[in-house]
Amino acid sequence: MTVARHRFGGFHCESRFVRGRSGRLATLVLVGGAFQTKESWGRLERELLEFADVLTVDLPGWGASPVLPERYGTDFLADALGHMLDDLGLASVNLLGGSYGSAVAYRLAQKRPRLVVKLVLIGTMTRIPDQARVPIRRSVELLKAERIEEFADVTLGMLMNPETVDSVVAGTRVRRFLRRRLENLTSHDREQFIANTQRLLRHEGLDVHQPPTMPVLVASGEHDSFTTPDRCRALAATCADSRLAVVSDADHMLPVERPAELVDLGLRFLRDEPLDGLDYLRAVERISPVIAV
């Protein structure tokens, strides 16, 4: 394992490279969501290492890096990720973005199409819908006021649908783990969450007029009430060559709810294998692109 420190735009960021047990696929780069760091991919990373080298990242504003002011948007984060890959001499990668990280991955794929062989997006959308802005703003207000239990309640309500927890694989365990994580954020974690969430609210949705040209897989949990399957489908429709996979008995936290299934799905896509007939998928579709005007 090699941890490297990078600097971009006056901010530092870090990468963690782990050599896999097989080099049959291009290096797989994992870009996580709001509470993920380069060390927190767990079982998902371990299983992927059977098939490829894996690079995980802490972008500016993530992990141990300083808080990134909210005026820096997705373009800055995508450029920082591209800079990290250039630093490491990686000229061709498969890119996986989850939740918040999916916007960064999508934007890098737009800007650097020769760098990204294939793109996997988990729990994503083109823009934050108006009805979701209220609880997002509320979570920031509660955290600033140090009303931690209420903050955890509101944030959990976005990340996991409270009405379907019993229908999600390991739903109760995952929800308990998330609550502990939310209630025990360090002061640094809190500052980062506030800045990153305000960044999400401040900057408009993705520019979809220049679609990624490489093959794209978009995955959603069937019970996800935040980045719903319909919102994931809309994002997939902005891509020239895309598929949507809806994972059964899962919510927004797919990487920890169904890691083995997510690995199997992603590897099938990366190896150009069929996605039809998989018993853990509620639906799989090839999406026809919608031409933006």
Side-chain angles (χ1 to χ4, degrees):
M1 180 183 71
T2 304
V3 175
R5 188 180 177 96
H6 311 263
R7 193 158 186 85
F8 179 79
F11 296 91
H12 93 256
C13 40
E14 292 185 352
S15 62
R16 175 177 172 274
F17 180 84
V18 183
R19 183 74 66 185
R21 286 169 281 281
S22 168
R24 286 175 285 173
L25 296 170
T27 297
L28 186 55
V29 180
L30 308 183
V31 188
F35 300 104
Q36 281 181 294
T37 67
K38 65 184 184 300
E39 297 88 6
S40 66
W41 287 89
R43 181 179 174 186
L44 188 78
E45 179 188 13
R46 291 194 298 273
E47 299 209 10
L48 288 170
L49 285 168
E50 292 290 338
F51 305 92
D53 299 339
V54 175
L55 181 77
T56 58
V57 297
D58 282 341
L59 296 172
W62 264 256
S65 66
V67 174
L68 181 69
E70 64 185 80
R71 66 180 181 274
Y72 293 93
T74 304
D75 268 27
F76 179 85
L77 292 169
D79 289 342
L81 177 58
H83 174 77
M84 295 165 77
L85 299 180
D86 293 341
D87 266 0
L88 295 168
L90 295 172
S92 179
V93 301
N94 289 308
L95 186 56
L96 183 152
S99 193
Y100 197 126
S102 65
V104 179
Y106 182 95
R107 192 71 186 103
L108 180 62
Q110 286 179 304
K111 297 173 72 124
R112 303 277 302 272
R114 293 184 180 179
L115 176 62
V116 181
V117 180
K118 289 189 175 183
L119 178 63
V120 179
L121 303 174
I122 304 165
T124 188
M125 53 187 164
T126 58
R127 58 180 295 274
I128 299 174
D130 292 339
Q131 63 269 29
R133 288 179 174 269
V134 174
I136 291 174
R137 288 194 184 99
R138 183 65 175 153
S139 71
V140 171
E141 292 168 359
L142 290 167
L143 187 55
K144 285 182 175 180
E146 298 189 0
R147 293 161 62 179
I148 302 303
E149 289 189 10
E150 293 171 83
F151 159 74
D153 287 339
V154 170
T155 306
L156 271 174
M158 291 187 288
L159 297 178
M160 295 191 73
N161 187 339
E163 298 179 1
T164 57
V165 170
D166 291 341
S167 300
V168 171
V169 173
T172 301
R173 177 178 58 80
V174 172
R175 187 177 176 85
R176 190 184 307 119
F177 164 79
L178 283 175
R179 175 171 286 281
R180 284 199 306 270
R181 176 82 173 91
L182 292 167
E183 290 181 345
N184 291 281
L185 296 177
T186 66
S187 58
H188 182 65
D189 291 336
R190 295 181 191 186
E191 290 179 32
Q192 284 189 331
F193 176 84
I194 291 168
N196 290 338
T197 304
Q198 289 177 330
R199 181 184 350 276
L200 199 63
L201 291 167
R202 174 173 176 170
H203 297 277
E204 288 301 315
L206 291 168
D207 180 355
V208 299
H209 290 80
Q210 180 190 351
T213 54
M214 70 290 299
V216 179
L217 172 66
V218 180
S220 173
E222 66 170 326
H223 299 303
D224 192 336
S225 58
F226 184 46
T227 56
T228 63
D230 283 344
R231 291 170 188 161
C232 288
R233 182 180 291 105
L235 188 284
T238 70
C239 303
D241 178 9
S242 67
R243 296 154 186 79
L244 172 72
V246 180
V247 181
S248 62
D249 306 320
D251 203 323
H252 186 66
M253 304 302 294
L254 260 175
V256 290
E257 292 163 356
R258 307 210 69 178
E261 291 80 4
L262 188 56
V263 167
D264 181 69
L265 176 66
L267 289 173
R268 286 173 183 270
F269 170 70
L270 297 178
R271 295 185 301 214
D272 295 316
E273 297 174 358
L275 304 182
D276 300 307
L278 300 176
D279 59 7
Y280 56 80
L281 292 186
R282 189 67 66 203
V284 61
E285 319 170 31
R286 181 177 286 274
I287 305 296
S288 298
V290 174
I291 306 300
V293 179

